[in-house]
């Protein structure tokens, strides 16, 4: 090849290379990708915010929110200028919400947008119709977050302990549209109070586990006695459905409980029972330390004298019969036996039947109304002829002779003393409207009562109310208090066991819940700090006297193990007695106890 020709060919190859290099610089400018906002705040539900995206390539928009609480008008796009609209959905909880939106370009560049909505909930409006107790001074029903019935009570170490049938277990099984036929109830509820308005929920007694022969557990009755081992023993008798009476024992009012017999103490095979339904027991230890048990129900011999009420003396061990079973000739008897010993007199209370009062031999005593509570008295309870009819002293709550606390229902009661004063426990359908049900689910209430002993034993009429008893002493907020102690709640609050018998913890939810205690005493000390034992991810906002205005304390939690968190108080609160509201939320968040310092 000639030299000149080689140079010519080299130039031919070089020119295209130079041309390609020049063209590349002209058609490949730096990529453009911008997002107009780094933060979006929704002030209210339904509000929107625009975000501009400029890109000369493809892009995508994604959110890290596990729940869809806002929408993005467009999830992807190409080159050009695009305006995205972000819109907040309805906020049923009113709690603050946060998320991250990531805008990512096809070349790998990405921009994040912080999306949030502040807590802007009107708590007074949210909780306005959740309970008959939360924003009132009402004491009834005792627990407003679950259904309870058939109460019994006992005083111990400055507290009154109340035990009930667990109607909530039936409600949870059949739902608000179902009926309360009591068939799914196999637990008993425990609660206690030191002041008659703030009630500590101690959980349930699992009769199905403790006594597997228990078909259903209703209507407990309890007594206690100091025994030779130096311990107070608690003896609880309960209905094993309608077929028998079973019993449990414990050396603590909240358990653990045990079954000492492994069988019913009374059933239809027990000699002398002679009733179809030996259930609804009422236990008593009299002034001499002797135990007694009353029970009964079933087919009537006659409407006036059904001949179904029974009584017997318990053995010294409280788990055996000490003699034969005797009859109590209770007029228009139906069920719900209860027994007291007052100034040397045995006082037997019961629920009357629904029959017409066509027979009535007493001219000086009014006929008892249907399904009311009547009483009889005796000085020799095993002598059937010794029993004298007293009167009826509590009409069916559905008659609305006091407050309108619900429709007609069966009637079950217990007369007891606490701190030297008489009280009367019963049930009514207080909460059905709040739980959106008409299935017959009941709740326990308490009224102050009078028992006159000047001339025998006389019990004046008692009426059902929402108000209930007065607070006997103020609550001390400067000592450790349990989260499961409440005078009112947002209704559907949940509690869980805490690994200690009788201790429960409040469970957070996505939706806000509230617990309230009444009559906290701030007259002697103004708090400077609040602390609570908590676990999980959530928040507690503390208010005194009102849910309006800023919280006294906002305690935020994000820990895996039980931890006591605290926060200084900068606001001033009124000197005196007040109600404390704990607004808490967080799915999986647990709240055990609290106190001020």
């Amino acid at each position: 090849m000639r030299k000149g020709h080689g140079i010519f060919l080299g130039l031919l190859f070089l020119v295209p290379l130079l041309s390609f290099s020049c063209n590349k610089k002209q058609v490949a400018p730096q990529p453009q990708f911008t997002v107009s906002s780094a933060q979006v705040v929704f002030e209210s539900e339904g509000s929107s915010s625009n975000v501009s995206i400029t890109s000369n390539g493809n892009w995508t928009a994604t959110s890290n929110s596990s729940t869809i609480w806002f929408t993005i008008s467009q999830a992807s796009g190409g080159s050009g200028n695009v305006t995205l609209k972000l819109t907040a959905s309805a906020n049923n909880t009113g709690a603050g919400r946060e998320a991250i939106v990531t805008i990512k370009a096809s070349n790998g560049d990405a921009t994040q947008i912080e999306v949030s909505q502040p807590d802007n909930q009107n708590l007074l409006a949210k909780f306005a119709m959740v309970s008959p107790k939360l924003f009132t001074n009402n004491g009834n029903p005792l627990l407003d977050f679950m259904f309870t019935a058939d109460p019994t009570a006992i005083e111990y170490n400055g507290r009154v302990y109340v035990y009930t049938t667990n109607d909530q277990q039936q409600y949870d099984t059949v739902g608000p549209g179902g009926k309360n036929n009591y068939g799914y109830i196999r637990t008993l509820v425990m609660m206690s109070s030191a002041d008659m308005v703030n009630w500590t929920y101690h959980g349930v007694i699992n009769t199905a586990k403790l006594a597997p022969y228990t078909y259903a557990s209703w209507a407990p009755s309890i007594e206690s006695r100091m025994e030779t081992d130096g311990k107070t023993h608690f003896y609880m008798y309960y209905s094993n459905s309608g077929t028998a009476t079973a019993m449990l024992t414990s050396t603590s009012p909240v358990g653990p409980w045990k079954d000492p017999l492994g069988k019913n103490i009374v059933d239809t095979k027990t000699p002398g029972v002679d009733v179809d339904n030996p259930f609804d027991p009422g236990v008593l230890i009299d002034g001499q330390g002797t135990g007694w048990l009353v029970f009964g129900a079933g087919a009537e011999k006659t409407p006036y004298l059904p001949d179904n009420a029974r009584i017997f003396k318990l053995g010294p061990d409280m788990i055996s019969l000490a003699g034969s079973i005797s009859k109590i000739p209770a007029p228009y008897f139906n069920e719900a036996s209860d027994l007291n010993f007052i100034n040397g007199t045995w006082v037997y209370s019961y629920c009357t039947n629904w029959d017409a009062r066509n027979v009535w031999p007493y001219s000086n005593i009014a006929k008892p109304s249907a399904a009311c509570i009547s009483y009889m008295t005796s000085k020799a309870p095993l002598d059937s002829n010794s029993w004298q009819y007293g009167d009826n002293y509590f009409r069916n709550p559905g008659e609305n002779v006091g407050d309108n606390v619900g429709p007609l229902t069966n009637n079950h009661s217990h007369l007891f003393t606490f701190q030297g004063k008489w009280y009367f426990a019963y049930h009514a359908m207080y909460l059905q409207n709040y739980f959106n049900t008409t299935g017959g689910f009941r709740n326990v209430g308490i009224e102050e009562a009078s028992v006159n002993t000047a001339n025998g034993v006389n019990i004046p009429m008692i009426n059902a109310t929402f108000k209930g008893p007065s607070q006997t002493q103020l609550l001390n907020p400067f000592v450790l208090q349990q989260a499961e102690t409440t005078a009112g709640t947002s209704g559907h609050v949940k509690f869980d066991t805490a690994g200690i018998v009788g201790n429960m913890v409040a469970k957070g939810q996505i939706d806000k819940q509230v617990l309230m205690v009444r009559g906290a005493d701030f007259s002697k000390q103004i708090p400077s700090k609040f602390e609570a034992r908590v676990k999980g991810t959530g928040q507690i906002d503390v208010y005194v006297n009102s849910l309006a205005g800023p919280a006294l304390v906002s305690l935020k939690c994000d820990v895996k193990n039980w931890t006591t968190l605290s926060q200084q108080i900068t606001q001033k609160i009124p000197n005196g007695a007040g109600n404390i509201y704990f607004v808490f939320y967080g799915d999986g968040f647990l709240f055990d106890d609290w106190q001020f310092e």
Side-chain angles (χ1 to χ4, degrees):
M1 180 182 293
R2 288 180 296 175
K3 184 177 181 181
H5 186 65
I7 294 173
F8 174 74
L9 290 175
L11 290 173
L12 289 177
F13 283 108
L14 181 60
V15 170
L17 289 173
L18 292 173
S19 175
F20 176 79
S21 176
C22 292
N23 289 339
K24 183 177 181 180
K25 291 180 180 179
Q26 292 175 353
V27 301
Q30 291 294 323
Q32 294 182 351
F33 174 64
T34 61
V35 178
S36 62
S37 301
Q39 186 177 50
V40 169
V41 178
F42 298 117
E43 293 299 332
S44 62
E45 58 187 42
S47 61
S48 299
S49 184
N50 292 334
V51 175
S52 297
I53 298 175
T54 301
S55 177
N56 60 1
N58 295 329
W59 54 267
T60 58
T62 58
S63 169
N64 73 336
S65 177
S66 58
T67 58
I68 301 174
W69 64 272
F70 65 94
T71 59
I72 305 172
S73 62
Q74 189 172 337
S76 62
S79 59
N81 297 323
V82 178
T83 299
L84 297 186
K85 178 177 283 189
L86 278 59
T87 305
S89 62
N91 188 351
N92 295 323
T93 71
R97 305 185 285 193
E98 296 178 347
I100 297 293
V101 172
T102 300
I103 312 294
K104 188 173 183 180
S106 55
N107 69 349
D109 290 347
T111 296
Q112 290 187 329
I113 305 172
E114 295 181 359
V115 182
S116 64
Q117 183 178 39
D119 187 331
N120 60 354
Q121 188 170 49
N122 184 335
L123 296 176
L124 291 173
K126 174 179 173 59
F127 298 127
M129 295 298 294
V130 296
S131 165
K133 299 176 66 178
L134 186 61
F135 294 139
T136 70
N137 285 323
N138 290 336
N140 288 329
L142 307 189
L143 302 183
D144 63 359
F145 54 83
M146 67 184 299
F147 293 109
T148 59
D150 305 324
T152 187
I154 193 167
E155 184 174 3
Y156 179 69
N157 277 0
R159 300 184 69 86
V160 58
Y161 289 82
V162 173
Y163 307 84
T164 73
T165 300
N166 190 1
D167 274 21
Q168 186 67 31
Q169 190 171 22
Q170 180 80 18
Y171 176 85
D172 289 341
T173 303
V174 303
K179 298 298 182 182
N180 191 7
N181 63 8
Y182 325 118
Y184 294 102
I185 302 174
R186 301 190 74 188
T187 55
L188 301 170
V189 177
M190 303 182 290
M191 68 188 88
S192 72
S193 177
D195 59 20
M196 299 302 290
V197 298
N198 294 295
W199 290 91
T200 302
Y201 172 51
H202 294 291
V204 301
I205 304 169
N206 190 343
T207 57
K209 181 178 180 181
L210 292 168
Y213 55 88
T214 303
Y215 176 74
S217 50
W218 315 324
S221 182
I222 193 168
E223 266 286 18
S224 68
R225 187 174 64 191
M226 179 73 73
E227 302 294 3
T228 55
D229 61 1
K231 298 178 181 179
T232 299
H233 288 242
F234 297 84
Y235 302 96
M236 180 177 291
Y237 304 78
Y238 65 92
S239 302
N240 181 355
S241 67
T243 64
T245 292
M247 60 96 64
L248 302 171
T249 61
S250 175
T251 54
S252 163
V254 295
W257 298 89
K258 64 180 181 179
D259 171 18
L261 288 173
K263 63 178 182 178
N264 298 311
I265 186 171
V266 175
D267 58 27
T268 54
K269 298 178 183 179
T270 304
V273 165
D274 190 30
V275 298
D276 298 327
N277 305 114
F279 81 145
D280 274 10
V283 65
L284 165 72
I285 296 177
D286 64 23
Q288 290 73 47
T290 301
W292 301 82
L293 196 71
V294 289
F295 64 92
E300 301 172 346
K301 307 300 187 295
T302 69
Y304 171 60
L305 288 178
D307 191 22
N308 285 322
R310 299 291 184 267
I311 183 171
F312 67 86
K313 185 185 295 187
L314 286 161
D317 56 7
M318 296 293 288
I319 62 175
S320 62
L321 281 68
S324 60
I325 296 174
S326 298
K327 297 180 179 182
I328 301 177
Y332 293 107
F333 172 81
N334 186 35
E335 58 185 4
S337 295
D338 189 42
L339 195 61
N340 281 275
F341 185 73
I342 305 173
N343 283 0
T345 299
W346 281 261
V347 180
Y348 174 66
S349 298
Y350 64 97
C351 175
T352 63
N353 59 28
W354 298 89
D355 295 305
R357 303 333 193 201
N358 295 325
V359 177
W360 192 246
Y362 303 96
S363 59
N364 60 336
I365 305 174
K367 297 177 183 179
S369 54
C372 71
I373 301 298
S374 289
Y375 72 98
M376 303 184 75
T377 61
S378 172
K379 295 288 188 178
L382 294 178
D383 179 2
S384 296
N385 295 323
S386 71
W387 287 98
Q388 301 294 318
Y389 181 81
D391 206 341
N392 73 92
Y393 67 101
F394 181 74
R395 301 181 72 172
N396 195 288
E399 292 190 25
N400 302 325
V401 291
D403 292 342
N404 184 359
V405 295
L408 290 170
T409 178
N410 52 22
N411 214 345
H412 197 112
S413 67
H414 179 59
L415 188 68
F416 67 98
T417 59
F418 176 57
Q419 296 177 348
K421 188 173 183 178
W422 283 100
Y423 293 92
F424 177 79
Y426 62 99
H427 64 232
M429 297 185 195
Y430 287 100
L431 292 182
Q432 288 208 130
N433 292 340
Y434 297 93
F435 279 67
N436 193 30
T437 181
T438 57
F441 300 98
R442 305 158 297 175
N443 275 92
V444 169
I446 287 179
E447 306 295 341
E448 297 176 10
S450 296
V451 176
N452 299 327
T453 58
N455 184 21
V457 175
N458 178 265
I459 309 174
M461 184 64 70
I462 301 167
N463 293 328
T465 71
F466 281 102
K467 185 176 184 297
S470 301
Q471 187 166 2
T472 61
Q473 63 184 42
L474 294 178
L475 181 140
N476 186 354
F478 298 99
V479 300
L480 198 66
Q481 300 285 351
Q482 298 298 313
E484 64 271 27
T485 298
T486 66
T489 76
S490 50
H492 296 275
V493 174
K494 303 297 182 184
F495 294 90
D496 202 356
T497 56
I500 301 174
V501 174
N503 184 42
M504 307 294 288
V505 296
K507 294 178 64 176
Q509 302 174 43
I510 294 175
D511 192 12
K512 284 186 176 180
Q513 302 296 315
V514 62
L515 309 172
M516 181 268 286
V517 295
R518 193 201 302 175
D521 188 3
F522 292 107
S523 63
K524 302 179 182 65
Q525 181 179 348
I526 300 300
S528 60
K529 186 173 72 171
F530 172 82
E531 64 181 32
R533 188 169 184 260
V534 290
K535 177 182 178 181
T537 301
Q539 183 170 325
I540 302 172
D541 297 329
V542 183
Y543 300 80
V544 174
N545 289 332
S546 174
L547 288 175
L552 184 70
V553 169
S554 290
L555 197 65
K556 295 182 179 181
C557 175
D558 189 10
V559 294
K560 294 182 179 180
N561 299 312
W562 283 109
T563 306
T564 297
L565 301 179
S566 63
Q567 187 176 104
Q568 295 297 123
I569 297 173
T570 58
Q571 296 183 41
K572 291 184 177 180
I573 65 172
N575 182 276
N579 298 346
I580 307 173
Y581 297 86
F582 305 93
V583 178
F584 66 105
Y585 58 96
D587 194 15
F589 176 61
L590 299 177
F591 175 25
D592 188 12
D593 53 46
W594 60 271
Q595 72 178 96
F596 286 89
E597 292 185 3

